[in-house]
Amino acid sequence: MLDVRLLAQPFNPGAFVGPFTNAHPGLGGVCTFVGEVRGGGGVEALELSHYEPLTLPGMQALAETASSRFGLMGMLMLHRVGKMYPGEPIVCVSAAAEHRRAAIDAVDFAMDHLKSDSWFWKRELRGGVWSWIEPRDQDHADLRRWG
Amino acid sequence: MLDVRLLAQPFNPGAFVGPFTNAHPGLGGVCTFVGEVRGGGGVEALELSHYEPLTLPGMQALAETASSRFGLMGMLMLHRVGKMYPGEPIVCVSAAAEHRRAAIDAVDFAMDHLKSDSWFWKRELRGGVWSWIEPRDQDHADLRRWG
Amino acid sequence: MAKLVFLGRLADLAGAAEREVAPGTLEAILADLPVELAVALLDEKVRIARNGELLINPGSIMVAAGDEIAFLPPVSGG
Amino acid sequence: MAKLVFLGRLADLAGAAEREVAPGTLEAILADLPVELAVALLDEKVRIARNGELLINPGSIMVAAGDEIAFLPPVSGG
């Protein structure tokens, strides 16, 4: 089962991961990554914008790629958009598989692609001033790991 | 925070992962792996035995090693013992870190070591007959990944 | 009319997330925009999509009435 | 008395998870056990712990009253 969503409001990852896990009887393992907004360096808020016609279809395609590449039973992929605050979950990716290596690798793969190859633009509020976050070289290095 | 436990009764991973996450304000990400008892191949039940003076101290040492190797903010490590049934969680490892790669790698590392280098002995019930599960070559290959 | 959509920092530069324009060639549409904005939109790192489809070679397209042309700067990453 | 603890399949072979024995050298204690069990306990893959400490060279140890000697076959893995 692929469950891919953009969420405009704060969410509780456990409320999605529990039902996702239960939807796959016979699984061997579930790996989940939850990213939160970091508050370090004086960040007061983060705003994510997306482009409706590309962002969700792109995530759906990524979930399908990860699912077939790693032979998953299912993948859950949730991403916040809009304005959010330190400590709030921003992304949650879960992979259900028969074997743990597939589940862990699929989450690693999906996170690398979500972070650097998905249609999201982020800006941060520091000291009352919004500024856009530019791409990082590390992201391209992360992607190259997957050939 | 290191939270390492042996559990003799069925458990709900979310009930541990939620509070574990909340105990680390400022984290960037949490990676969690939950393994369940697989019911394939006619397995009716699984029984895990452990040796009290070695098993829990060994897990504690593993959590400390993973935590310092990957610079974690915390690690949660839960393992069932006793008799369990297909679909029940058998292991749950969570790593909280500032950056996602550390969290994901720490879970991968901890699972490889928990599975093949910890003091647990498993037997399976199939067709009313219990039989011990022997070590697998794959486990040693998994461990060699970490040098 | 057609619609231009500006993502990320391009929206700041354009002063709005969207802008209505008359149909025509993309070249002509850009020529009517403030120069600084037009230059930013033509940056080689900015991808262009028409009606949700990324364009491989957007330079010479015709923008029809009802089209939505999106300008997508590099995503923010990690 | 001292206590022997058998883990995993060794408990099946011993017919019990634990066994009380008189103190003495490990060699003498094993010699009093059923031969098949003694052979299995001496398998090079079986680790031996005294009072929760793994022994590097258990061959010649003295087992004192109150000691707990555990026999640990290879763990099950994956």
Side-chain angles (χ1 to χ4, degrees):
Chain A
M1 182 187 81
L2 302 182
D3 185 354
V4 179
R5 311 188 200 194
L6 290 172
L7 302 172
Q9 300 297 328
F11 70 102
N12 173 7
F16 291 87
V17 174
F20 170 75
T21 302
N22 292 337
H24 297 94
L27 63 78
V30 177
C31 184
T32 302
F33 178 83
V34 175
E36 295 190 355
V37 179
R38 270 195 297 274
V43 173
E44 294 148 39
L46 187 68
E47 188 176 40
L48 254 80
S49 47
H50 69 294
Y51 181 52
E52 188 77 39
L54 289 179
T55 309
L56 192 60
M59 289 169 62
Q60 184 77 33
L62 172 57
E64 283 164 17
T65 301
S67 191
S68 68
R69 176 167 179 156
F70 298 99
L72 303 181
M73 299 171 73
M75 176 163 265
L76 172 70
M77 186 181 283
L78 311 172
H79 210 295
R80 269 297 305 279
V81 292
K83 200 178 291 184
M84 59 207 87
Y85 298 92
E88 288 182 14
I90 176 172
V91 60
C92 172
V93 171
S94 250
E98 282 186 58
H99 298 286
R100 75 174 183 280
R101 179 62 32 77
I104 294 171
D105 287 351
V107 167
D108 198 11
F109 174 90
M111 282 303 307
D112 275 356
H113 286 77
L114 256 184
K115 283 289 191 171
S116 51
D117 198 22
S118 293
W119 297 108
F120 293 107
W121 296 270
K122 294 183 203 163
R123 51 179 203 158
E124 287 177 342
L125 183 67
R126 294 171 194 259
V129 178
W130 285 103
S131 53
W132 293 99
I133 302 176
E134 299 297 326
R136 306 179 314 153
D137 289 343
Q138 182 59 39
D139 296 324
H140 301 292
D142 287 345
L143 279 189
R144 279 195 300 273
R145 299 165 65 219
W146 304 103
Chain B
M1 181 187 83
L2 302 182
D3 184 354
V4 179
R5 311 186 201 194
L6 290 172
L7 302 172
Q9 300 298 328
F11 70 103
N12 173 8
F16 291 86
V17 173
F20 171 74
T21 301
N22 293 336
H24 297 94
L27 61 78
V30 177
C31 185
T32 302
F33 179 83
V34 175
E36 295 190 356
V37 179
R38 269 195 298 273
V43 172
E44 295 149 37
L46 187 69
E47 189 175 42
L48 254 81
S49 45
H50 69 294
Y51 181 54
E52 187 77 38
L54 289 179
T55 308
L56 192 60
M59 288 169 62
Q60 183 77 35
L62 172 57
E64 284 163 16
T65 300
S67 190
S68 68
R69 176 168 178 156
F70 298 98
L72 303 181
M73 299 171 74
M75 177 163 263
L76 171 70
M77 186 181 284
L78 312 172
H79 211 296
R80 270 295 307 278
V81 293
K83 199 179 292 184
M84 59 208 86
Y85 298 91
E88 287 182 14
I90 177 171
V91 61
C92 172
V93 171
S94 252
E98 282 187 59
H99 297 287
R100 73 174 184 281
R101 179 63 30 75
I104 294 172
D105 286 352
V107 166
D108 197 13
F109 174 90
M111 283 303 309
D112 276 356
H113 287 77
L114 255 185
K115 282 290 192 170
S116 51
D117 200 23
S118 294
W119 297 107
F120 292 107
W121 298 269
K122 293 182 202 166
R123 52 178 202 160
E124 286 178 341
L125 184 65
R126 293 172 195 258
V129 179
W130 285 104
S131 53
W132 292 99
I133 301 175
E134 299 297 326
R136 305 178 315 153
D137 288 342
Q138 181 59 39
D139 296 324
H140 300 293
D142 287 345
L143 279 189
R144 279 195 301 271
R145 299 165 65 220
W146 304 103
Chain C
M1 298 298 278
K3 185 161 68 173
L4 306 186
V5 178
F6 309 111
L7 279 303
R9 61 183 171 74
L10 297 175
D12 288 355
L13 211 54
E18 301 181 358
R19 184 177 186 131
E20 295 278 313
V21 294
T25 65
L26 186 56
E27 210 174 351
I29 289 170
L30 292 177
D32 277 348
L33 297 178
V35 170
E36 193 193 5
L37 177 59
V39 167
L41 297 180
L42 288 168
D43 185 298
E44 61 175 2
K45 288 183 186 155
V46 173
R47 302 294 305 273
I48 301 179
R50 174 164 55 182
N51 302 327
E53 298 284 339
L54 289 167
L55 299 174
I56 304 302
N57 183 11
S60 54
I61 65 162
M62 276 296 299
V63 178
D67 275 359
E68 176 170 307
I69 308 294
F71 296 88
L72 312 148
V75 298
S76 301
Chain D
M1 299 296 280
K3 182 160 70 173
L4 306 186
V5 178
F6 309 111
L7 279 304
R9 61 183 171 73
L10 296 175
D12 289 355
L13 210 55
E18 300 182 359
R19 183 176 187 135
E20 295 277 312
V21 295
T25 65
L26 185 57
E27 208 174 354
I29 290 171
L30 292 177
D32 277 347
L33 297 178
V35 170
E36 193 195 3
L37 176 59
V39 167
L41 297 180
L42 287 169
D43 184 298
E44 62 175 1
K45 289 183 184 154
V46 172
R47 302 293 305 273
I48 300 178
R50 172 162 57 181
N51 302 327
E53 298 283 339
L54 288 167
L55 299 174
I56 305 299
N57 184 11
S60 54
I61 65 162
M62 276 295 300
V63 178
D67 275 359
E68 174 168 306
I69 307 295
F71 296 90
L72 312 146
V75 296
S76 300

